Amino acid sequence: MGTIALTKHLSSTPHAVFDTITHPATWEHWFSIHRCFVGAPPQRLAEDSVLTSKVALLGMTNEIEWTVTAAERSSRIALLGRGKAGVRCEFTYLMRDSGGGTELAAGGDFSGPLITGLLARALEKQGRDQLGKTLDLLAAHVAETGPPR
């Protein structure tokens, strides 16, 4: 099992950040481990939405079925992912208004029968790096384009 977590200040509002995260069409612009969708994703995510995507980490690609377990407008979105080989991951984005911007805390846990020892530590390290990249790309995307319409 592994855990990653980061916090970043974004200049955009929690509403704009939430809207971007919940519009899968934007993922290719900011979600660094996302490669493509398998099938058509929902236009907008809400609690109990399900979508499948291919993700890559440590040079390995896995197909993950994501279920939205929480979608609280402008404050929280949580995703539960299940992939091949028993891979399971849970990610949460928490948004808090911070002086006209957003304090965004993002993180999650991942596990599976093969995710132990050295592999778990390597996934944590690269996962933390990719989460940092994701938050930087998200901040830039929302600041540049605003919330999706």
Side-chain angles (χ1 to χ4, degrees), residues 70-90:
E72 298 167 18
R73 187 90 180 128
S74 302
S75 65
R76 180 170 78 118
I77 183 150
L79 301 158
L80 171 63
R82 295 173 199 246
K84 294 178 180 173
V87 170
R88 180 182 161 97
C89 49
E90 296 180 62

Side-chain angles (χ1 to χ4, degrees), residues 62-128:
N62 201 339
E63 193 171 291
I64 305 291
E65 180 183 88
W66 299 103
T67 301
V68 179
T69 58
E72 298 167 18
R73 187 90 180 128
S74 302
S75 65
R76 180 170 78 118
I77 183 150
L79 301 158
L80 171 63
R82 295 173 199 246
K84 294 178 180 173
V87 170
R88 180 182 161 97
C89 49
E90 296 180 62
F91 282 92
T92 302
Y93 296 90
L94 297 171
M95 291 141 270
R96 185 175 55 85
D97 191 323
S98 175
T102 302
E103 192 74 27
L104 177 61
D109 300 314
F110 50 90
S111 61
L114 303 177
I115 301 176
T116 60
L118 291 174
L119 180 58
R121 286 190 292 283
L123 285 169
E124 279 183 330
K125 182 185 180 321
Q126 189 175 36
R128 204 174 298 104

Side-chain angles (χ1 to χ4, degrees), residues 131-144:
L131 183 56
K133 182 177 178 182
T134 289
L135 297 184
D136 289 345
L137 290 168
L138 178 61
H141 182 74
V142 179
E144 182 179 310

Side-chain angles (χ1 to χ4, degrees), residues 14-75:
H15 176 80
V17 174
F18 181 89
D19 278 355
T20 299
I21 293 170
T22 58
H23 278 83
T26 68
W27 285 17
E28 67 181 279
H29 302 289
W30 59 268
F31 192 10
S32 70
I33 66 169
H34 172 75
R35 295 298 172 258
C36 64
F37 289 106
V38 178
Q43 186 173 14
R44 181 175 195 158
L45 301 180
E47 197 163 321
D48 297 324
S49 294
V50 176
L51 67 160
T52 303
S53 70
K54 289 187 179 180
V55 301
L57 197 59
L58 281 181
M60 298 178 284
T61 301
N62 201 339
E63 193 171 291
I64 305 291
E65 180 183 88
W66 299 103
T67 301
V68 179
T69 58
E72 298 167 18
R73 187 90 180 128
S74 302
S75 65

